[in-house]
Amino acid sequence: MKGATARWQAGGLAILALVVPLTPLVPEFWVTLLILIGLASLTALGLVVLTGMGGMTSFGQAAFVGFAAYTTGLLSTTYGLSPWLGLPAALVVTGLAACALGAITMRLSGHYLPLGTLAWGISIFYIFGNSAFLGGQTGMTGIPPLRLGSFSLIGPRSYYILVWLAVVLSLVATINLLDSRVGRAFRALRNNAIAAEAFGVLTARAKLIVFVYAALLAGVAGWLYAHFQRTLSASAFGAEANIDYLLMAIVGGVGQVFGALLGAGIVIVLKDLLQDMLGRLGMFQDLVFGIMLVGILQYSRDGIWPLLSSWLPPTTPRSIDPAADIERPARAPATSSGPLLALDKARKTFGGLVAVDDVSFNVGHAETVALIGPNGAGKSTLFNLITGVRRASSGRVSFDSASIERLSPQMIARRGIARTFQHVRLVPELSVLENVALGAHTRGHAGVASAVLRLDRAEERRLFAHAARRLERVGLAKEMFRPAGHLSLGQMRLVEVARALCLDPRLLLLDEPAAGLRAAEKKALAKLLRELKGEGMSILVVEHDVDFVMGLADRIVVLDFGKKIAEGLPQEIRVNPLVIEAYLGGVE
Amino acid sequence: MIFWTLVVDGVVNGAIYALLAIGLVLVFVVTRVILLPQGVYMSFAALTLSQFQRGNVPGTAGLLLALGLAAFVIDLLRSRVTRAWLMRRVASDLALPAIMYALVTWLVPLRPNMAIQIVLTLALITPLGPYLYRLAFQPLEQASVLTLLIASVGVHIALTVLGLVFFGPEGFLANPLSSAHFEAAGIVISGQSAIMVAVSLVIMVLLWLLFDRTLIGKAMRAVAVNRVGARLVGIPISQAGEITFALASFIGAVSGVLIAPVSMVYYDTGFLIGLIGFVAAIIGGMGSYPLAVAGAIFVGLLQSFAAFWNSNYQQVVVFTTLIPILLLRSLRAPAVEEDE
């Protein structure tokens, strides 16, 4: 409980730090600076969620600040509405703009995405600056302040309360969101979108949600900014502002929510200090920033927050309540007596290359089938066809007598096919338990709103109990709370198996599960797979370790150059001349 | 009539964008850096030329000295120092900038002719590329495209400030390269425009020869296709990076010399023009030179017509076109993540 007390102390200090600026101890000038830091950290926070968690970088966040600021500005000047009504209006406009821009840009892959945001960021900046109804080049003036009854929030101290209230609420909401079922899905987007899809995450939708969430944070900042500055000019929402926000996120640390706060603080204070120090040479401040940005990338790529966070008290691991586990509601019993998985002349071509050449075989109920073949035989491509990552060029793939070759990976996951990956795809920063819980994604229903408001705790307890039990089965209960990136390769493979089990699959696809495992671990894995089969699960395994496969599989299918060259019992395959030739080369 | 004038305008602008686009594509395929400062090279070259013509020693001469020294010191701390290394680096990082600086301060007051001014400009701007590569990007060689892009933003901000310091906020126009005029079918084409298009073509042909006919060029192509494989067959990746950056800054400098007489260049002009070159490069998919050139001509024409329609919104039109193109590009790109 020492950790808990330390955290209370840290929390107490934080509250104290927030209250002090309300007293005359802090000069008004610094309070104004704190307001600017609060405003910037809202936008930077959105960028942290988008970049650090979702893996998407935006050079256009300032545009959303602008959308909100101009919306409330326009409504409260030209149309004379109350500034308070400006907030919902600003958020609606920002949200709609984000939906429209996100729907286009979030489809972009790789580095096209940040470039896309750069493009519309510039377009929107020019539109702001050239639209007469937004004040054009000269800008918009005379925006009324916020009022509470007869009291105007004009002085920095009163506005400070409002801004930092918004910051604290946004931080809490973001922390809650990231620690939830949808949050875990977001964090898998960055490097593991395929894994996320294999467990039922609708990645396109998840990306859009992250994008809109980040835009709304910028929108709140824009509304607050408009009624604080009370004049608007397009230059506040241009390329320079975008670069500042990115700088803040990178300097603070794009991997943690508090990085946004720290980054905004450092950049804004530094800007001010540099202005004082350099005076007439104020233009040199950007030189310092530019060099700083490159330096941080070279020497501490995760920003400054990780250097500080080691001083903070550790968080206590979440408690697991084994009783909360939902017992597996039996999957719908087989609707037919046929095989569980059937491939009928499945074919996949890439240009002229035939990767999978009219392959047919079945996997029966509670049967273990091994798929072997030399490197490049098409085994992984075949896995991708079954799980919907790639679409077969021709032929049929059916699961429980229903054709699945046109289904998305998410729909295939929901039918009860789970997989592991040849190249481990875990989220290294998340704990082992959280990684495994991603496998139970389709078992939960809580969305963004219930995550932000913490209405999802009962469901979360169930998911984690479920995940913990699967971890116990693979023998990794002890490692539950370690970051997945700290495990050995063999352990990571077992985590992937546990994650797949979390889906309670009817068919388990394992891509080289024994690679990198020690002898004892292999034995344990073989024992687990036999147990699973005993419980009625069907297993299709790709593996190079022949001893492992021979002792485990009921049947073996051999691929070579995309073609099935043999199929049979392990003892038949062992002596099959075609197989021996494929593996060892021809015998003259 | 107006139509053809706009077309000529568009093609001439397109030639400049094409040069920038080629530089960007070149750097991107070899080093994976999205080089935002490509436009800065252009501004620096244009302003350096203008300063020569006014008899001033441009700040870029000092910048060359400073960057050379910084690259030398930082490499000294990072690398294993051998005699051969020291000889090479002293020559490239200390002697070369010193000689250039001396040459410039000696020649400028003598008011040399245009050809010498241009040669000096190119010689001052080109070495900036490799120095910047070694200072900012080489340590990040293994980083992701995104990290490199952010580093590129950092370099860009720093250089833009230096541009302001060296050249001030005023814009400059250099003397024209040629005062001739041709008339074809009623459309007046200036000699300057003809030179712009011709030089762009020559540069493109030279680059094609370099990549298709020389060993260095082929080595660079190998790095572009497969970095690990290139390294395994003994191609030094960093050296390929340096050469690429030198080519890019050279191309940027040439475009600056070409644009200096036709358009008022400010210290930050390069950013926008660079970004438009960028749009062109992206239309070409950041990987193909002929497509980048086609994209550049397209953007040049688009901009020229958009400016005629409504000059306030010309940039909006140019940058907004990018989005459907990006969309098309990424739909055609493989949907499956590549394994590292």
Side-chain angles (χ1 to χ4, degrees):
Chain A
M1 280 298 102
K2 209 175 138 203
T5 348
R7 267 186 305 139
W8 278 112
Q9 286 168 351
L13 275 177
I15 291 172
L16 202 65
L18 281 174
V19 172
V20 167
L22 295 174
T23 66
L25 286 175
V26 180
E28 281 213 343
F29 169 74
W30 279 93
V31 180
T32 306
L33 216 54
L34 284 169
I35 291 175
L36 295 179
I37 292 173
L39 291 175
S41 51
L42 281 171
T43 310
L45 182 61
L47 209 49
V48 163
V49 175
L50 196 62
T51 306
M53 315 296 167
M56 298 166 279
T57 292
S58 165
F59 285 97
Q61 290 312 95
F64 296 120
V65 182
F67 274 120
Y70 276 117
T71 304
T72 191
L74 194 66
L75 289 179
S76 58
T77 55
T78 312
Y79 298 97
L81 285 180
S82 153
W84 293 104
L85 285 177
L87 178 62
L91 290 182
V92 167
V93 170
T94 312
L96 287 177
C99 279
L101 291 170
I104 310 168
T105 18
M106 293 299 109
R107 305 176 67 112
L108 301 176
S109 49
H111 52 273
Y112 290 129
L113 196 150
L115 294 178
T117 63
L118 192 74
W120 53 246
I122 292 175
S123 296
I124 291 168
F125 164 70
Y126 278 106
I127 292 174
F128 284 156
N130 287 311
S131 299
F133 73 105
L134 298 178
Q137 304 284 1
T138 48
M140 188 182 269
T141 53
I143 299 170
L146 290 165
R147 280 174 210 283
L148 278 175
S150 60
F151 179 71
S152 293
L153 292 163
I154 291 185
R157 280 189 224 278
S158 53
Y159 214 78
Y160 168 88
I161 302 178
L162 188 66
V163 169
W164 279 86
L165 192 68
V167 172
V168 170
L169 288 179
S170 305
L171 271 175
V172 171
T174 307
I175 291 170
N176 288 350
L177 180 62
L178 291 174
D179 174 31
S180 75
R181 170 179 166 269
V182 272
R184 287 187 293 278
F186 293 163
R187 305 183 75 154
L189 290 175
R190 196 169 74 180
N191 295 319
N192 295 287
I194 290 192
E197 289 182 356
F199 292 99
V201 177
L202 300 168
T203 45
R205 200 166 145 252
K207 279 184 180 180
L208 190 59
I209 294 174
V210 175
F211 185 73
V212 172
Y213 182 79
L216 289 178
L217 287 177
V220 174
W223 173 73
L224 286 166
Y225 175 84
H227 295 290
F228 177 63
Q229 290 289 340
R230 300 177 47 209
T231 60
L232 295 175
S233 107
S235 64
F237 314 114
E240 204 173 315
N242 275 318
I243 288 171
D244 279 351
Y245 292 131
L246 198 66
L247 182 68
M248 290 169 194
I250 301 274
V251 167
V254 88
Q256 285 100 353
V257 287
F258 288 103
L261 233 62
L262 184 69
I266 292 177
V267 170
I268 288 181
V269 170
L270 211 61
K271 261 193 170 182
D272 187 69
L273 288 180
L274 285 173
Q275 236 152 31
D276 285 352
M277 264 165 32
L278 299 170
R280 205 170 48 78
L281 300 171
M283 55 194 176
F284 277 106
Q285 74 172 30
D286 281 345
L287 181 66
V288 177
F289 282 156
I291 294 171
M292 196 164 103
L293 193 55
V294 176
I296 283 180
L297 290 175
Q298 287 184 2
Y299 294 102
S300 173
R301 206 170 295 169
D302 298 326
I304 294 174
W305 179 258
L307 306 179
L308 294 181
S309 63
S310 55
W311 296 83
L312 289 180
T315 50
T316 41
R318 78 177 68 239
S319 58
I320 300 295
D321 174 13
D325 189 7
I326 3 136
E327 248 337 290
R328 178 185 340 176
R331 291 255 177 213
T335 49
S336 72
S337 52
L340 184 64
L341 176 78
L343 273 73
D344 182 21
K345 293 202 169 161
R347 184 180 185 86
K348 180 69 192 175
T349 54
F350 296 107
L353 178 81
V354 186
V356 175
D357 192 354
D358 292 344
V359 172
S360 307
F361 68 88
N362 297 334
V363 179
H365 295 275
E367 187 187 25
T368 301
V369 174
L371 195 58
I372 65 171
N375 286 328
K379 305 181 297 281
S380 290
T381 309
L382 198 61
F383 260 40
N384 285 341
L385 294 188
I386 298 171
T387 49
V389 175
R390 291 186 186 279
R391 191 158 281 186
S393 311
S394 67
R396 261 174 66 90
V397 183
S398 48
F399 183 67
D400 200 12
S401 306
S403 144
I404 58 168
E405 73 266 0
R406 302 246 159 257
L407 298 186
S408 65
Q410 292 89 339
M411 288 159 88
I412 290 173
R414 282 176 188 271
R415 296 207 172 194
I417 298 183
R419 72 176 295 187
T420 68
F421 293 87
Q422 186 186 352
H423 302 279
V424 173
R425 291 182 183 275
L426 299 174
V427 185
E429 319 79 70
L430 285 185
S431 73
V432 169
L433 185 67
E434 287 172 303
N435 267 290
V436 174
L438 183 68
H441 187 80
T442 55
R443 298 190 146 270
H445 306 283
V448 174
S450 49
V452 166
L453 300 172
R454 289 263 153 182
L455 300 175
D456 60 345
R457 291 299 101 181
E459 181 182 290
E460 286 286 281
R461 265 198 301 283
R462 282 204 300 280
L463 294 184
F464 280 111
H466 192 69
R469 184 172 292 192
R470 301 308 173 277
L471 265 173
E472 261 164 51
R473 283 202 86 166
V474 302
L476 283 176
K478 278 206 303 282
E479 316 291 344
M480 209 178 281
F481 301 112
R482 290 180 65 192
H486 290 187
L487 300 187
S488 71
L489 179 63
Q491 288 174 318
M492 288 189 195
R493 289 200 181 283
L494 293 176
V495 173
E496 285 223 332
V497 174
R499 181 174 66 184
L501 291 179
C502 240
L503 192 83
D504 287 329
R506 294 168 66 190
L507 174 65
L508 180 62
L509 301 179
L510 301 171
D511 203 341
E512 301 196 16
L517 263 61
R518 285 185 292 241
E521 290 172 328
K522 277 184 193 173
K523 237 181 224 161
L525 178 64
K527 180 166 163 278
L528 172 67
L529 295 182
R530 272 189 214 102
E531 280 171 25
L532 291 171
K533 184 189 147 190
E535 291 163 22
M537 196 180 289
S538 304
I539 299 168
L540 177 62
V541 55
V542 164
E543 187 49 69
H544 278 299
D545 185 331
V546 175
D547 288 338
F548 182 82
V549 164
M550 291 292 170
L552 192 70
D554 299 316
R555 267 184 315 123
I556 294 180
V557 173
V558 189
L559 286 188
D560 191 24
F561 290 113
K563 281 197 171 70
K564 182 172 90 174
I565 58 168
E567 178 175 352
L569 300 173
Q571 54 270 35
E572 295 167 1
I573 295 297
R574 212 187 270 274
V575 294
N576 186 316
L578 279 172
V579 177
I580 294 169
E581 187 180 321
Y583 268 92
L584 301 177
V587 184
E588 295 297 313
Chain B
M1 203 61 253
I2 285 209
F3 176 80
W4 287 108
T5 312
L6 289 176
V7 167
V8 170
D9 252 21
V11 169
V12 172
N13 286 340
I16 294 292
Y17 296 146
L19 280 183
L20 291 171
I22 285 180
L24 288 163
V25 170
L26 183 66
V27 167
F28 181 75
V29 295
V30 178
T31 64
R32 300 175 305 129
V33 174
I34 294 177
L35 192 65
L36 293 179
Q38 180 71 15
V40 176
Y41 297 147
M42 194 196 79
S43 295
F44 275 19
L47 292 166
T48 300
L49 185 65
S50 297
Q51 292 298 313
F52 280 155
Q53 293 177 352
R54 281 167 181 71
N56 302 329
V57 174
T60 34
L63 178 65
L64 195 65
L65 274 179
L67 283 182
L69 186 64
F72 181 77
V73 171
I74 285 194
D75 264 11
L76 201 63
L77 300 174
R78 279 185 192 142
S79 347
R80 212 162 46 85
V81 178
T82 61
R83 211 183 137 81
W85 182 92
L86 206 61
M87 300 277 277
R88 192 161 67 89
R89 286 311 188 199
V90 167
S92 72
D93 300 352
L94 304 178
L96 172 79
I99 292 170
M100 278 310 302
Y101 190 85
L103 208 60
V104 168
T105 38
W106 171 57
L107 278 175
V108 163
L110 304 179
R111 300 275 174 161
N113 63 22
M114 186 76 134
I116 293 176
Q117 290 169 8
I118 291 175
V119 170
L120 282 180
T121 301
L122 297 180
L124 275 185
I125 303 300
T126 306
L128 296 181
Y131 294 151
L132 286 174
Y133 174 72
R134 279 162 57 201
L135 286 169
F137 299 106
Q138 194 184 327
L140 294 171
E141 222 166 49
Q142 308 297 329
S144 67
V145 171
L146 193 61
T147 307
L148 289 168
L149 174 58
I150 297 167
S152 167
V153 170
V155 172
H156 176 80
I157 309 175
L159 286 180
T160 307
V161 174
L162 290 174
L164 179 60
V165 173
F166 295 152
F167 305 110
E170 305 89 29
F172 291 96
L173 199 62
N175 307 333
L177 302 172
S178 149
S179 49
H181 281 275
F182 314 97
E183 207 179 309
I187 305 152
V188 180
I189 298 170
S190 66
Q192 171 74 28
S193 303
I195 290 177
M196 287 166 81
V197 174
V199 170
S200 298
L201 283 175
V202 168
I203 298 261
M204 287 170 211
V205 170
L206 285 179
L207 281 176
W208 173 74
L209 286 176
L210 174 73
F211 284 108
D212 211 61
R213 297 292 153 92
T214 69
L215 192 61
I216 293 179
K218 284 178 181 169
M220 284 164 65
R221 273 167 60 195
V223 175
V225 173
N226 185 336
R227 299 165 66 75
V228 178
R231 183 174 290 227
L232 288 176
V233 297
I235 297 171
I237 308 269
S238 304
Q239 207 177 327
E242 273 184 60
I243 296 173
T244 313
F245 266 67
L247 282 173
S249 49
F250 174 73
I251 295 171
V254 169
S255 55
V257 168
L258 291 177
I259 206 171
V262 286
S263 164
M264 189 74 98
V265 175
Y266 298 84
Y267 73 99
D268 60 352
T269 300
F271 182 56
L272 199 64
I273 298 189
L275 279 179
I276 297 174
F278 215 72
V279 174
I282 294 168
I283 293 177
M286 293 301 281
S288 153
Y289 302 101
L291 281 181
V293 173
I297 304 290
F298 169 73
V299 172
L301 289 172
L302 185 71
Q303 199 192 19
S304 139
F305 282 92
F308 179 69
W309 164 67
N310 183 337
S311 63
N312 280 337
Y313 284 94
Q314 57 165 322
Q315 315 303 4
V316 176
V317 171
V318 170
F319 286 103
T320 310
T321 327
L322 187 57
I323 291 172
I325 289 165
L326 282 172
L327 209 61
L328 208 68
R329 281 268 156 214
S330 80
L331 287 181
R332 283 175 51 194
V336 176
E337 305 159 60
E338 304 294 328
D339 282 315
E340 305 296 310

